[in-house]
Amino acid sequence: GSSVRTFTPFRFAVEPADVLSVRGAAVVLNCSALCDAPPRIEWKKDGTFLNLASDDRRQLLPDGALLINGVVHSKHNKPDEGYYQCVATVDSLGTIVSRTAKLTVAGK
C-alpha cells in the first residue's frame, strides 16, 4: 500500500490586533493557533523573543494571549510600546508567525 501524507492544518484562528492603551492599564494581545497537535506559543516584541518566565508584568495566558499588567510609560521609559508578534510552533510541522500588532500608549 502507498502511504498518503495528509496535510495537517496549522494556522492562526486569532491574530493580535493593534492596541491603544493608557499608562497603568492591563492590555491583552490575543493569539490562538489551530492544529491537531497543541502548538507552543511564544511572543516577540520588536523582533526579539520575550522571556516571559522571568517577567513579572507580562504573562502568557492559557489560550495563547499575552497579558501585559500595568503598562509602563514615561518620557524616557517605554518598555511596553512597540510591535508584537505571536509565534506558534509545532515541532513536527514548523513555525508560523502572526501579523504584527502595534501597541501604542497614549499620553495624558
Side-chain angles (χ1 to χ4, degrees):
S2 63
S3 65
V4 177
R5 194 180 160 95
T6 58
F7 175 73
T8 302
F10 180 27
R11 63 181 174 85
F12 285 107
V14 179
E15 295 189 62
D18 294 351
V19 177
L20 175 62
S21 179
V22 293
R23 190 175 71 198
V27 171
V28 175
L29 293 166
N30 289 307
C31 177
S32 70
L34 296 176
C35 187
D36 294 340
R40 182 173 71 250
I41 302 288
E42 296 172 287
W43 282 87
K44 281 183 172 184
K45 178 184 180 285
D46 299 330
T48 304
F49 280 106
L50 292 171
N51 180 3
L52 298 172
S54 65
D55 197 318
D56 55 348
R57 288 191 312 105
R58 296 185 186 116
Q59 69 183 85
L60 184 66
L61 299 178
D63 64 355
L66 177 68
L67 171 65
I68 304 171
N69 270 311
V71 167
V72 172
H73 193 79
S74 63
K75 191 172 176 182
H76 301 294
N77 187 26
K78 301 175 182 173
D80 296 324
E81 197 166 66
Y83 295 91
Y84 289 82
Q85 284 177 298
C86 174
V87 180
T89 303
V90 174
D91 291 330
S92 60
L93 292 174
T95 299
I96 55 176
V97 180
S98 75
R99 70 178 291 276
T100 301
K102 183 180 183 189
L103 173 58
T104 307
V105 181
K108 286 275 178 223

